[in-house]
Amino acid sequence: MSDTPTRVLIADDQRLVRSGFRMILDARPDIEVVGEAADGAECVELARRLRPDVCLVDIRMPELDGLEVTRVLAGAATAEPMRVVVVTTFDQDDYVHEALRNGACGFLLKDASPALLVEAVEAAHRGDALISPAVTVRLLHRLETREAPDRARTPPAVLSERELGVARLVAVGRTNQEICAELHLSLGTVKTHLTNIQSKLGTRNRVEIAAWAWSTGAVPADHTG
């Protein structure tokens, strides 16, 4: 494991929020906050200059909102996409959906616990995006196929039964370790299944796997994990 701390950029127009996030993250020896931005334009400029490992981006900001910042830093057209975790409030489902389309690799509520904030940063850094059930389960199970990206039309049958089981657990917010425990698999096997799932579905991360699972009906409509 690398001794280099995970470098984080925080973007939020509220100084109190930025200070709170910085205090929590800087208390960790393996995380370093390398910059703060008070608006979207400043976030893009700092991100391009500092190249942080993870960007924590609020959705509602002046200059550029978090949706546009996410598209610029992590979108499909970006040559060197960064890992962006979107910070949102509970009633912003439409914004979260758009952020997912724009390349966000995780979602975090502003009132999340310090432990969840750290987990979101660590997950994003290792490419294992955090799916917070408090946000995404409620959001993703409402998606209709016509609203979802083309990958949503890929039928569940394309996956093996084991891969489908893994995809369902991803969709209801399970971490890799929790999937290991529930399916009695090794961590390496779970990671292999996730790689195969992404290849078969054409998805880039766990958030997109979850979107596919909900929008195709692979997860029962009444299943909340």
Side-chain angles (χ1 to χ4, degrees):
M1 186 180 232
S2 172
D3 292 329
T4 304
T6 299
R7 302 170 69 252
V8 179
L9 171 65
I10 300 170
D12 195 293
D13 62 339
Q14 298 181 53
R15 182 187 297 272
L16 193 59
V17 172
R18 297 197 309 272
S19 298
F21 282 0
R22 175 183 278 274
M23 181 177 66
I24 293 166
L25 296 176
D26 274 345
R28 298 274 305 193
D30 54 345
I31 297 176
E32 176 189 4
V33 176
V34 295
E36 295 182 21
D39 62 62
E42 184 182 16
C43 175
V44 170
E45 188 277 325
L46 283 176
R48 287 173 169 168
R49 177 159 55 87
L50 299 174
R51 299 299 302 181
D53 299 307
V54 179
C55 300
L56 282 177
V57 177
D58 184 27
I59 280 186
R60 290 182 174 173
M61 293 188 294
E63 302 297 333
L64 293 176
D65 66 22
L67 299 177
E68 182 63 12
V69 169
T70 302
R71 186 191 66 77
V72 170
L73 297 181
T78 304
E80 296 180 286
M82 298 186 192
R83 289 164 180 163
V84 176
V85 174
V86 172
V87 181
T88 184
T89 54
F90 193 71
D91 61 349
Q92 293 177 308
D93 282 357
D94 291 342
Y95 292 141
V96 175
H97 182 195
E98 188 63 26
L100 183 154
R101 288 182 171 181
N102 287 353
C105 70
F107 302 118
L108 188 70
L109 293 176
K110 278 195 175 180
D111 61 355
S113 68
L116 193 59
L117 172 64
V118 171
E119 184 181 351
V121 168
E122 292 177 340
H125 187 208
R126 65 177 181 263
D128 189 17
L130 180 109
I131 307 287
S132 176
V135 178
T136 54
V137 168
R138 183 173 48 84
L139 165 70
L140 295 174
H141 85 271
R142 288 172 34 205
L143 294 180
E144 297 177 2
T145 300
R146 63 180 173 81
E147 295 180 314
D150 289 343
R151 64 177 178 274
R153 290 191 282 273
T154 304
V158 74
L159 302 182
S160 69
E161 278 300 312
R162 181 60 83 189
E163 289 166 348
L164 190 56
V166 170
R168 285 170 175 154
L169 291 177
V170 167
V172 296
R174 299 295 192 267
T175 64
N176 281 0
Q177 280 72 20
E178 288 170 338
I179 294 172
C180 290
E182 291 197 33
L183 299 182
H184 307 289
L185 300 172
S186 70
L187 183 58
T189 299
V190 169
K191 289 182 177 179
T192 297
H193 283 317
L194 288 170
T195 298
N196 292 339
I197 290 167
Q198 289 180 202
S199 177
K200 289 181 178 182
L201 301 181
T203 54
R204 293 174 297 173
N205 54 44
R206 302 169 77 90
V207 178
E208 293 185 355
I209 292 173
W212 170 87
W214 285 111
S215 61
T216 58
V219 181
D222 61 348
H223 188 68
T224 58

